[in-house]
Structures are given as structure tokens and as C-alpha cells.
Amino acid sequence: MAADPKPDWLSCLPSSWSYGVTRDGRIFFINEEAKSTTWLHPVTGEAVITGHRKTPDLPTGWEEGYTFEGARCFIK
């Protein structure tokens, strides 16, 4: 399965906003007009879940993760 090149949270980001990724993989949002940052998505008001996580629907030994660009990937 290929990684989604533009996840939903990125495609609905307002034009005056961008995002960054911390060293530990957390995504934060940057309001370019107000020169401010937040952990919460400006449209949904929710934090973007990042990093590796085990999910019950993946085969044994596999984890879901995200690249620094925010693309979803799978790690064994």
C-alpha cells in the first residue's frame, strides 16, 4: 500500500497556514499572518496523530507511522 501523498488534514489547511514537524514527529501548525503556532488544526480544532502506533487491523509485527512530510507509511 502506497503512502497517501496529501493526507486529509493537509488538504484542508487554509492558505495562510503551514505546518512543521518536531524532532519527535509531532505536527504543529503555523499561522503565517498572525505569526503564531498551535498543536491544533485550524479547521478541525484537533491535534494530528503522528508517530508510530500499533493498530489491530495491521498484520502482526507491523506498525503505522508518518513521514516528516506527514505521509502515512507502514513499518515492519
Side-chain angles (χ1 to χ4, degrees):
M1 175 180 207
D4 184 356
K6 194 165 187 181
D8 291 339
W9 62 265
L10 183 56
S11 61
C12 68
L13 201 58
S15 61
S16 61
W17 288 79
S18 61
Y19 74 97
V21 182
T22 64
R23 288 180 190 251
D24 63 353
R26 286 185 70 189
I27 292 177
F28 62 96
F29 299 94
I30 306 161
N31 182 330
E32 303 291 350
E33 290 177 358
K35 307 266 189 256
S36 63
T37 61
T38 180
W39 295 112
L40 304 179
H41 191 282
V43 174
T44 66
E46 297 179 4
V48 173
I49 305 300
T50 60
H52 304 282
R53 64 186 178 112
K54 295 179 181 175
T55 56
D57 58 331
L58 291 176
T60 302
W62 285 86
E63 296 180 9
E64 180 181 19
Y66 290 87
T67 68
F68 285 111
E69 294 81 22
R72 191 166 116 181
C73 61
F74 299 93
I75 303 113
K76 181 164 177 138

